[in-house]
Amino acid sequence: MELTASQIAYFIAILVILILLLMRKDIILPVIIAIFAIGLLATKDVIKAIQIIYTAILVSGIRLWHIIVIISLIIAMSKALDDIGADVILTKPFIRHLKSPTYSFWIIGLFMMLLSFFMWPAPAVGLIGTVLIIPSLKSGIDKVSLASIVSVFGFGIALSGDFFIQGAPSITAKAAGINTHQLVQNILPIWAVSSVVASVSLYFCVLYTSKHHPPSEYVETKPIHGRPVSFKSYTVSVIAVVLFLIDVLIMILFKIHSSGATALIGGTAIIVLIASAAIQENFLDKTRDYLREGFLNGMRTFAPVIIISAFFLLGETSMAKQVIGPHARGYLVDLGTYLSHHIPLNKYTASLLELAMGILTGMSGSGFSGLPLIGALAKTFSSAAFLNPALLASIGQLAAVWTGGGTLIPWSTAVVSAVIDVDSRKISKRNFIPAVLGLISAYIVTVILL
């Protein structure tokens, strides 16, 4: 297999973007230039290349729209609850338990992980993110650390295993030609070791930060018991908690997950927003204002994410065909095929290739988009080198989800960034060491087990 000019340009663009990220430079302009260059090389048509810039951004926006909507609704609901004093009410039960950074770290992390197992992390972060900000700050954890805890335990640890909903394992297993149960059994020890390594290393990072950079500026500007709350506010706050608990119960009993779980949380958020506005003066105007503010904040957060995702989604075959044309192929898919044809296979190289392909496909910002390729490569590599396909698929799945699921790269952490109001680049920087150490440990365990 020979690489085309557009494929080479795509790979060079990835390297340039990674270098700029390491230099802490903005990558929006390079991403737009890269989309144009790839479109021009693929079509040999300047007009078509100009159109591809718009089409790529449009398709990316359409794919992200459901996330933008749920986050915007949660931000709007959070603002409404904040105005009626619900933050004072809802944080009281947590204060006595979140006594220190250590207590806060493990309580918040494990709670996020458990919720994410049953309802996936995107709805979970909306449920607990805003409620836990003030108690965590009072305990000595800054907002960046809180965002990092939520993303690592939810979007990293819980989503990479996905043992209860089994969305990720089912996709990977199907492409690898094995059953889901077999994949889950094989991924469990790899997942356990990587999760422990990642969580413990993050714990020490957070502990170091809390000792040397206490979040006093946040605590002083927003005291917990700074204003009185009415009986109506208590009632709405309790109703909000009860409604979301009912949502969790419904998701578990009726096995509602993914887009269904997001829709349930989103609808509930609107109901809570309306209830919060109804006990205030000019509630009709308040309802409009909250929704407008929520969507303005949501779009402000996701605008750069849409453009960056437009480039990396070209790595998917379906996206490339939709944007460039029916003859196009996913550039990341082609890279995986190229590498597999030029590297001798054994348990070390096969595991490394699966790890690398998981990371590369995860760079699209979707931890799941590359799973079919991960499974297919595991099937191919296992046949060529007589290795366990489930173990190979496991390391690839972990790498893909940790990278693109919402932990390692900035444009995948937008959900947590929007809810907790933290720059996504800061979250990724804080997550980098724990995530990388987790993936390295996963690779070592995979090689040992093969």
Side-chain angles (χ1 to χ4, degrees):
M1 173 186 176
E2 296 297 328
L3 297 177
T4 64
S6 60
Q7 290 169 331
I8 295 172
Y10 187 84
F11 305 147
I12 293 174
I14 290 178
L15 293 176
V16 171
I17 289 169
L18 290 176
I19 292 170
L20 290 173
L21 286 173
L22 292 174
M23 295 172 62
R24 300 181 185 179
K25 301 294 184 180
D26 195 87
I27 61 172
I28 296 296
L29 179 58
V31 161
I32 294 173
I33 294 173
I35 294 173
F36 173 78
I38 292 163
L40 181 61
L41 291 171
T43 62
K44 307 294 190 300
D45 188 330
V46 175
I47 296 177
K48 181 65 175 177
I50 294 173
Q51 293 174 325
I52 283 173
I53 298 175
Y54 169 80
T55 306
I57 295 172
L58 176 64
V59 174
S60 174
I62 292 172
R63 291 200 176 193
L64 291 172
W65 179 241
H66 68 287
I67 300 176
I68 298 173
V69 171
I70 184 63
I71 295 304
S72 299
L73 291 176
I74 288 172
I75 292 173
M77 178 197 69
S78 301
K79 174 61 178 173
L81 288 172
D82 185 66
D83 282 354
I84 66 171
D87 57 332
V88 175
I89 301 164
L90 296 176
T91 55
K92 282 184 178 179
F94 293 95
I95 295 173
R96 73 170 71 96
H97 301 292
L98 306 182
K99 302 174 183 178
S100 66
T102 295
Y103 278 92
S104 296
F105 179 91
W106 294 110
I107 290 173
I108 294 171
L110 294 175
F111 185 40
M112 179 67 187
M113 183 182 72
L114 289 174
L115 277 180
S116 300
F117 271 140
F118 292 102
M119 57 185 293
W120 278 16
V125 70
L127 280 177
I128 71 172
T130 53
V131 174
L132 295 179
I133 290 175
I134 301 301
S136 66
L137 295 178
K138 292 292 287 185
S139 71
I141 290 181
D142 63 292
K143 289 178 77 174
V144 176
S145 294
L146 173 62
S148 188
I149 294 167
V150 169
S151 64
V152 165
F153 278 89
F155 294 86
I157 294 174
L159 191 60
S160 63
D162 196 14
F163 298 115
F164 294 93
I165 298 172
Q166 295 189 349
S170 61
I171 297 172
T172 309
K174 184 177 181 180
I178 57 179
N179 61 60
T180 304
H181 179 67
Q182 183 181 353
L183 178 63
V184 169
Q185 281 186 318
N186 281 269
I187 200 176
L188 188 57
I190 307 172
W191 170 86
V193 172
S194 63
S195 298
V196 169
V197 170
S199 59
V200 171
S201 57
L202 177 63
Y203 167 72
F204 285 111
C205 290
V206 171
L207 207 63
Y208 176 85
T209 303
S210 66
K211 287 181 179 179
H212 294 82
H213 305 284
S216 57
E217 67 272 18
Y218 297 112
V219 178
E220 291 173 1
T221 57
K222 194 172 184 181
I224 293 181
H225 301 293
R227 62 183 186 277
V229 291
S230 65
F231 175 75
K232 290 180 180 179
S233 296
Y234 272 101
T235 303
V236 172
S237 300
V238 171
I239 290 173
V241 172
V242 171
L243 286 176
F244 283 118
L245 288 175
I246 291 173
D247 283 351
V248 174
L249 185 62
I250 290 173
M251 292 173 194
I252 295 172
L253 291 177
F254 296 97
K255 297 182 179 179
I256 299 174
H257 53 81
S258 189
S259 59
T262 301
L264 187 60
I265 295 297
T268 304
I270 294 176
I271 294 172
V272 172
L273 182 153
I274 293 172
S276 302
I279 63 174
Q280 303 180 62
E281 295 180 0
N282 302 320
F283 73 91
L284 293 176
D285 293 339
K286 285 283 188 180
T287 302
R288 177 201 60 200
D289 292 342
Y290 289 137
L291 287 170
R292 180 171 58 190
E293 184 174 349
F295 275 92
L296 284 173
N297 282 312
M299 289 305 302
R300 188 179 298 114
T301 299
F302 277 90
V305 176
I306 290 172
I307 296 174
I308 295 169
S309 294
F311 169 77
F312 283 99
L313 283 172
L314 290 175
E316 297 181 25
T317 302
S318 59
M319 173 73 168
K321 290 182 180 294
Q322 193 172 356
V323 174
I324 297 176
H327 63 282
R329 296 177 58 184
Y331 293 104
L332 293 175
V333 176
D334 290 340
L335 177 59
T337 305
Y338 179 82
L339 290 175
S340 65
H341 288 168
H342 291 78
I343 297 178
L345 291 178
N346 52 51
K347 69 177 184 178
Y348 302 101
T349 57
S351 299
L352 188 60
L353 282 172
E354 282 286 328
L355 178 68
M357 283 311 304
I359 294 172
L360 283 171
T361 56
M363 288 182 68
S364 67
S366 170
F368 280 34
S369 63
L371 294 183
L373 172 61
I374 294 300
L377 288 177
K379 184 177 181 180
T380 302
F381 295 162
S382 63
S383 299
F386 304 102
L387 299 171
N388 184 342
L391 287 173
L392 288 176
S394 296
I395 181 64
Q397 176 178 304
L398 289 175
V401 175
W402 271 95
T403 304
T407 304
L408 193 52
I409 55 175
W411 47 94
S412 72
T413 61
V415 174
V416 178
S417 171
V419 172
I420 303 182
D421 190 24
V422 176
D423 189 331
S424 59
R425 290 171 295 184
K426 292 182 179 180
I427 301 174
S428 295
K429 182 181 177 182
R430 184 66 56 82
N431 291 347
F432 182 79
I433 292 177
V436 170
L437 289 178
L439 290 178
I440 291 173
S441 64
Y443 171 76
I444 294 171
V445 175
T446 302
V447 171
I448 292 172
L449 293 176
L450 278 171

